[in-house]
Amino acid sequence: MQLPGGLQENFRFLVLEVCKQVEETLAFLQAPSQRQMERITGRDDYIDGLKSLIEEKVYSLLMSTVMERRQANLLRSVNTIATNLERIADFAVNVVGQMQYLTDPAFVNAYDHPPYFKEVKEGLDTILEAFTSQDISLAFRICQSEFHLDDLYKGTMNRLLQELAQGRNTGDLVTVLFIFRYLERMGDSLLNIGEAIIFALLGERLKIHQYQALRDSLANSGMNTPISEVEFESIWGTRSGCRIGKVQDKAGGESAQRVIFKEGNANKLASERDNIARWESIMPGLAPKVFGFQRDNGSASILLEYLEGCTLQELILNSETEYQENALFLVTETLKMIWQNTRKDRASDGNFLAQLLSRLDDVYRVHPHFKQSCQSIGDLALAPLEESLRQLQEKTQGRLLAPFSVFIHGDFNANNVIYDHNQQRVHFIDLHRSADSDYAQDISVFLVSNFRMPVQRSVLRTRLNRVILDFLLFAQNFAREQGDATFEARLCLGLIRSFLTSTRFELNLDFAKEMFLRSCYLLDKMNNHGGRPWEDFRLPPHVLVY
Amino acid sequence: MSSDDRFKHESLQDQESIVSYLQALCDGFQSGALLFASDNQRLVLKPQGLVALEVEAKKKNNEIKLGIKIRWTEEPNGEELTMKPLVITSVDQDQ
């Protein structure tokens, strides 16, 4: 791919000059001379100038021209590469500068530096080809220079530490350490360069380990698509510590296979994989299929089936009542079937208040004004939030359990349900928290996820209120059918939790306060229930209406 | 009472639970002192003299607002304004 506006030439020169700079630095180390030193510092100015020129051209092109995203990405990556090339040249000058501190310049030659230079040179020599031929495996090779240099540095460092411990030539040893440190840092810049080329190719800022994970996952998934043939699109960015993106064949079209790629915390993704297997046995097709799973130290990656349709949240916000009612009907029928089929007669605890207390600090970090003091009006004592929560925890712990468990979603937000209108079915996604537990958990999360949609009082809000109340009614009926008499009290605990923890993501202060006050209201309601049995507790439905 | 003594409370109540709040205020007026406490700050209000009461009820579509505002002035040292005899003295113009 060619660069516009003479950039290609500037870029080529920059790469060549930095290569020369590195070569001459090696020569200087082996036989230092004043002339060579001057040449190296002189070239550094030239390299700085080239880099500034490229930067200027890139910015003016980006600002003055309307271009395709792909072209813009290419320009951005040229700029990143130029910045890192200039940094490598700076490190070369730093290496040369350190030599004056050695009592004897030949001291450095006792340490095996040529492999470092060889590695850096190989990386640099690959840049032009990787970039112009858009070859991702070459870009990958550039990235690997960093890992090879790190290995070399580890060896040198160990030797230097041992020698330093002997206490001789300490000044020279520290200087040599600096020299090798600069050589090692050239690897960091090469890594950035390789990643920038990958960015230009995939249009996505993937870290090299994420790229490796994606490549391996694709290879193991049986999708016969090499990585250079796929397009990566970050659809949700980073969520709950996972990198999520949509990958599809560049050819596009009807037959293009699309998958979801997630990279992140290994335990979380492993739970998701295991839970999907469980969902598959409960209701085939409800969860996405797993095409591949890779584990690499603390992180892992997973390739999932891309499910057609839209999320329930999108549907509620953008479509007509008829579709919503249809979708809600499918959701409730699906839930009913799952709950009936997975019901186990074993008491289960939703642990709502413990969860809430553990997240309270996060809430206060976003909304410090929620922190209440101890108040009273005359004889009427108004307990602060924490105290009220602890009081309720005492009253309910071990005493307010679900009489049975069902397999729950675990994060049943309206945007974790996909509605496929054509197939007339729903799917569940984001399943790493699924478990056998109290279904009041999923219901409270679902209700509040609808409540907190960014919709002011309007026709749409009235519709949202309808969805909420209909869903509540469905849940109440299910509880009644199952003889679950304490459901409303447990749901109230779940709502106290969800209303309050949702404020963490709500930066509209008025709306955050609205949810906070609703949580406090329910909390007082439960605390004032007196010693009466929880079976008698009724959830005031108006708390869910906005 | 310093000029910035303040107590503020906000909550959601329902028809049933709001009664205890209104009752607490009524009790205060009846006993002659309203106590508002917040952590280690106490605000005691002693209604005296004339107490201005403003009741405003508003209904705009579905939004209902009932405002109750009670105002009075507190004399320095807590003394109530009492009638003092009016004394008129003549002043010598030359002094």
Side-chain angles (χ1 to χ4, degrees), chain A residues 372-380 382 457 513-514 517-519 521 524-525 528 540 542-543, chain B residues 7-14 16-17 20-21 24-25 27 34-40 63:
Chain A
Q372 296 168 329
S373 49
C374 229
Q375 289 187 321
S376 62
I377 301 176
D379 294 334
L380 182 69
L382 312 169
R457 289 191 174 104
K513 193 164 108 184
E514 191 71 44
L517 289 176
R518 278 166 205 252
S519 179
Y521 168 73
D524 286 346
K525 257 267 115 15
N528 293 335
H542 53 249
V543 79
Chain B
F7 173 91
K8 189 174 174 176
H9 168 79
E10 261 183 298
S11 64
L12 285 177
Q13 302 298 328
D14 53 34
E16 186 189 348
S17 59
S20 54
Y21 285 75
L25 293 174
D27 291 347
L34 292 124
L35 170 67
F36 299 94
S38 173
D39 274 347
N40 38 22
E63 302 260 350

Side-chain angles (χ1 to χ4, degrees), chain A residues 63 67 69 82 109 119 179 182 204 226 238-239 263 295 309 342 347 371 420 449 513 523 534 538:
Chain A
M63 285 191 295
M67 62 180 83
R69 189 162 160 205
N109 292 323
E119 199 59 58
I179 289 174
Y182 285 124
E204 187 59 33
T238 306
R239 202 168 56 166
E263 195 272 343
R295 194 193 283 266
T342 59
K371 224 172 181 144
D420 185 345
S449 80
K513 193 164 108 184
L523 183 57
W534 287 116
R538 287 292 159 263

Side-chain angles (χ1 to χ4, degrees), chain A residues 249-261:
Chain A
D249 215 302
K250 263 185 196 158
E254 292 279 310
S255 60
Q257 190 170 14
R258 282 185 286 181
V259 286
I260 295 289
F261 170 70

Side-chain angles (χ1 to χ4, degrees), chain A residues 154-438:
Chain A
K154 204 168 161 232
T156 312
M157 179 80 177
N158 285 341
R159 179 177 160 193
L160 285 167
L161 283 176
Q162 275 174 10
E163 292 176 355
L164 275 166
Q166 290 165 7
R168 284 193 302 272
N169 301 326
T170 47
D172 283 340
L173 290 170
V174 169
T175 303
V176 169
L177 178 63
F178 279 145
I179 289 174
F180 279 88
R181 174 82 177 124
Y182 285 124
L183 294 175
E184 183 270 327
R185 288 184 68 188
M186 290 183 184
D188 301 341
S189 293
L190 282 170
L191 177 65
N192 290 338
I193 291 172
E195 285 177 349
I197 297 175
I198 295 173
F199 168 72
L201 288 174
L202 294 181
E204 187 59 33
R205 201 164 283 284
L206 275 186
K207 284 279 154 203
I208 190 64
H209 72 274
Q210 293 173 322
Y211 161 72
Q212 278 170 303
L214 175 58
R215 192 189 60 166
D216 296 348
S217 302
L218 282 172
N220 293 349
S221 68
M223 279 175 82
N224 290 323
T225 319
I227 185 97
S228 53
E229 297 300 316
V230 300
E231 205 142 25
F232 186 90
E233 180 193 343
S234 175
I235 42 177
W236 295 297
T238 306
R239 202 168 56 166
S240 58
C242 286
R243 185 67 185 267
I244 307 169
K246 187 170 79 181
V247 183
Q248 74 174 328
D249 215 302
K250 263 185 196 158
E254 292 279 310
S255 60
Q257 190 170 14
R258 282 185 286 181
V259 286
I260 295 289
F261 170 70
K262 285 194 193 186
E263 195 272 343
N265 182 292
N267 292 336
K268 214 175 236 184
L269 291 177
S271 306
E272 173 140 29
R273 177 199 55 189
D274 298 344
N275 289 334
I276 287 177
R278 173 93 192 266
W279 281 112
E280 193 59 22
S281 71
I282 294 166
M283 190 178 276
L286 181 73
K289 285 188 185 61
V290 178
F291 290 135
F293 181 82
Q294 298 282 314
R295 194 193 283 266
D296 181 26
N297 294 326
S299 73
S301 61
I302 194 166
L303 269 190
L304 298 170
E305 176 187 11
Y306 176 82
L307 297 162
E308 294 296 336
C310 61
T311 69
L312 214 53
Q313 173 160 347
E314 288 164 349
L315 186 83
I316 291 169
L317 291 178
N318 304 313
S319 74
E320 290 162 25
T321 320
E322 186 194 330
Y323 290 107
Q324 290 173 13
E325 282 172 359
N326 181 35
L328 202 65
F329 173 76
L330 286 174
V331 171
T332 51
E333 286 300 297
T334 306
L335 285 176
K336 208 165 152 181
M337 215 181 295
I338 294 166
W339 292 344
Q340 278 165 346
N341 292 342
T342 59
R343 182 184 154 134
K344 286 180 193 157
D345 287 322
R346 194 174 50 200
S348 73
D349 190 347
N351 272 321
F352 302 103
L353 295 179
Q355 282 176 21
L356 173 52
L357 283 162
S358 74
R359 288 178 199 158
L360 210 50
D361 278 344
D362 294 337
V363 171
Y364 288 149
R365 212 164 291 140
V366 184
H367 302 290
H369 49 283
F370 285 172
K371 224 172 181 144
Q372 296 168 329
S373 49
C374 229
Q375 289 187 321
S376 62
I377 301 176
D379 294 334
L380 182 69
L382 312 169
L385 181 65
E386 277 102 323
E387 200 185 309
S388 298
L389 283 170
R390 295 232 151 72
Q391 273 176 25
L392 186 59
Q393 203 178 21
E394 245 168 65
K395 287 177 191 163
T396 54
Q397 206 156 37
R399 286 177 224 175
L400 188 48
L401 301 175
F404 55 87
S405 76
V406 298
F407 196 56
I408 65 162
H409 181 291
D411 189 11
F412 201 52
N413 277 307
N415 56 9
N416 281 339
V417 181
I418 305 273
Y419 167 68
D420 185 345
H421 183 70
N422 296 329
Q423 300 290 322
Q424 277 300 296
R425 67 169 310 167
V426 289
H427 299 281
F428 289 177
I429 56 168
D430 250 9
L431 298 158
H432 68 272
R433 290 210 191 105
S434 300
D436 289 295
S437 188
D438 183 355

Side-chain angles (χ1 to χ4, degrees), chain A residues 61 71 78 85 90 128 161 186 311 365 380 383 398 467 503 540 545:
Chain A
L61 276 166
Q71 181 73 6
V78 167
L85 282 170
D90 281 347
L128 278 176
L161 283 176
M186 290 183 184
T311 69
R365 212 164 291 140
L380 182 69
V467 169
T503 61
V545 174

